[in-house]
Amino acid sequence: MMLWETFGKNEIYVLVMLIVAYAAFFIFPKKIPRDITLLFLVWGFTISTFFDFTVGGGLMDFYKVNDSDKYELTDLLTYFLFAPFSYFFVYFYHRFQIDRKTVIFYILGWAILGLVMERVSRFMEVVHYQNGYSMKYSVAVFLVTQTMTALYYQWTVREQNRMRGSSRL
Amino acid sequence: MAFPIFFFLTWLVGSIFAVMRKKLSLVENTFVFLIILIVSINFSWIIADELKLITVTKQTLPHTAYLINRSVIIPVLILIQLNISMARDSFGWKTMMVLFSVLLLTGVNYLMTALNMVTYTNWNLGFDAIYFLLLNLAAFLAYRIMEKASEKAVNQT
């Protein structure tokens, strides 16, 4: 384990993005209950960790995050970057009152945003594809994870409303 | 043989969790699962790939079995322990459940070594037991954190 191999543009990009994303998280008015907020922050962190250590490492090793295949502090910071994005996914889901008619467009919109961010991350040398991986495979990853996030959010909202007997969410 | 056995174990713990009476809410169960999953993934990577204390097989199916143990069996077994523990207020009951969970998890890891999915080079089952004890305690801590967050959320209403 190490901090980083060389402090380059990928580290600067990750640090800047962390400041921007967490500043937005604290600045935006809180519309989601504290427990759901905490859950979806951890949800985003877990999804990035799970994919990086499963398809991004080990036998498949389809991509490298930051400078090397070794575990760096910058890798950990990169996973923290996914937490506010997961939060904003459910935040705007709630704010825009996404329903059956709009959910497909909402997920497609986030998938496109995800692909754009991935393209930028490649340019900033945060992500390096290897072993035949290409961006088209990320389409499947984004669609699956975001659909799962939307469905899970709906489920938690239904459960919370049932338990608390309110229609606050 | 490793993959069919671990696939069966995954199905078994998943089914037990699905049908059992749960003391934790959906949000609490999910939160604890995610925290344990994060720790489990990071810990297994660090001891295998960074510190080289254990060697994981490079054969595809046994390796997949190792991954489903790390990502499903360990967190779900701990969730089952936590839900059973919270059913009673007694400290003795909780301690017994944690120790039973440590025993089961260490047993599963023993099975991994017996099936040659992993080889312990500078590691042993005693270290596994200590790790699983701490992981079970981490589950209680994660539960308390989410419980506090849920109470505050209810008070906001």
Side-chain angles (χ1 to χ4, degrees):
Chain A
M1 287 187 75
M2 56 184 158
L3 294 178
W4 45 71
E5 218 163 62
T6 50
F7 192 87
K9 66 177 179 180
N10 57 318
E11 279 81 13
I12 294 168
Y13 174 72
V14 170
L15 289 174
V16 170
M17 284 301 293
L18 274 174
I19 293 167
V20 171
Y22 280 92
F25 170 73
F26 287 110
I27 289 168
F28 271 67
K30 300 285 170 282
K31 297 285 179 191
I32 309 273
R34 197 182 286 255
D35 51 346
I36 305 285
T37 299
L38 186 58
L39 176 67
F40 280 92
L41 284 172
V42 174
W43 178 275
F45 185 96
T46 312
I47 285 179
S48 60
T49 309
F50 179 77
F51 274 95
D52 190 26
F53 286 94
T54 308
V55 294
L59 282 189
M60 289 181 263
D61 205 11
F62 281 139
Y63 58 89
K64 186 175 83 180
V65 177
N66 295 305
D67 302 330
S68 75
D69 275 327
K70 292 274 156 207
Y71 203 170
E72 301 171 41
L73 173 69
T74 323
D75 294 352
L76 190 63
L77 295 178
T78 309
Y79 309 140
F80 272 106
L81 196 50
F82 283 82
F85 279 96
S86 168
Y87 167 75
F88 281 118
F89 182 91
V90 297
Y91 181 86
F92 289 114
Y93 194 98
H94 170 73
R95 282 299 293 265
F96 297 150
Q97 298 188 322
I98 300 299
D99 56 19
R100 285 169 188 272
K101 289 176 191 155
T102 48
V103 68
I104 292 175
F105 299 105
Y106 186 73
I107 291 170
L108 283 176
W110 272 91
I112 292 166
L113 179 70
L115 290 170
V116 170
M117 293 302 290
E118 189 170 303
R119 186 75 196 85
V120 175
S121 294
R122 278 184 69 201
F123 177 73
M124 298 307 288
E125 295 174 4
V126 175
V127 180
H128 310 261
Y129 296 158
Q130 53 196 20
N131 298 328
Y133 191 84
S134 73
M135 201 178 219
K136 57 181 177 284
Y137 302 119
S138 296
V139 176
V141 173
F142 283 122
L143 290 179
V144 169
T145 54
Q146 287 167 5
T147 304
M148 214 167 70
T149 308
L151 291 172
Y152 212 87
Y153 176 64
Q154 282 287 3
W155 190 18
T156 54
V157 168
R158 241 194 339 266
E159 280 292 305
Q160 296 285 72
N161 287 343
R162 191 178 61 78
M163 283 171 61
R164 289 171 188 168
S166 89
S167 55
R168 185 168 50 87
L169 286 166
Chain B
M1 199 56 189
F3 185 78
I5 290 173
F6 273 77
F7 187 87
F8 171 73
L9 287 177
T10 308
W11 170 83
L12 187 64
V13 295
S15 302
I16 290 170
F17 181 71
V19 299
M20 74 183 288
R21 188 183 293 272
K22 295 170 197 68
K23 294 302 287 183
L24 277 67
S25 69
L26 173 69
V27 170
E28 288 162 348
N29 269 315
T30 312
F31 182 74
V32 174
F33 177 87
L34 295 178
I35 295 291
I36 298 303
L37 180 60
I38 291 170
V39 177
S40 177
I41 288 174
N42 277 279
F43 186 81
S44 65
W45 181 270
I46 288 168
I47 64 163
D49 293 82
E50 301 291 326
L51 303 177
K52 314 276 183 206
L53 300 175
I54 69 168
T55 311
V56 183
T57 176
K58 296 227 181 313
Q59 288 179 289
T60 313
L61 280 177
H63 189 88
T64 309
Y66 167 79
L67 292 181
I68 58 175
N69 178 50
R70 173 204 80 176
S71 307
V72 185
I73 297 173
I74 292 174
V76 175
L77 263 178
I78 289 180
L79 264 193
I80 293 172
Q81 174 276 117
L82 190 60
N83 277 279
I84 297 174
S85 291
M86 299 318 288
R88 290 192 200 170
D89 239 354
S90 138
F91 179 76
W93 172 258
K94 288 181 175 48
T95 308
M96 209 166 71
M97 286 305 113
V98 167
L99 291 178
F100 187 59
S101 161
V102 170
L103 195 69
L104 272 180
L105 289 160
T106 311
V108 173
N109 271 22
Y110 170 73
L111 197 59
M112 287 206 303
T113 57
L115 294 167
N116 297 319
M117 292 159 61
V118 295
T119 311
Y120 286 180
T121 42
N122 283 301
W123 193 257
N124 60 53
L125 290 173
F127 291 145
D128 273 335
I130 294 168
Y131 162 61
F132 288 132
L133 178 66
L134 295 174
L135 203 58
N136 275 281
L137 298 179
F140 278 98
L141 183 67
Y143 169 63
R144 292 287 174 220
I145 290 169
M146 182 44 86
E147 197 184 36
K148 274 215 158 65
S150 301
E151 278 167 15
K152 282 182 181 161
V154 170
N155 292 338
Q156 281 171 357
T157 55

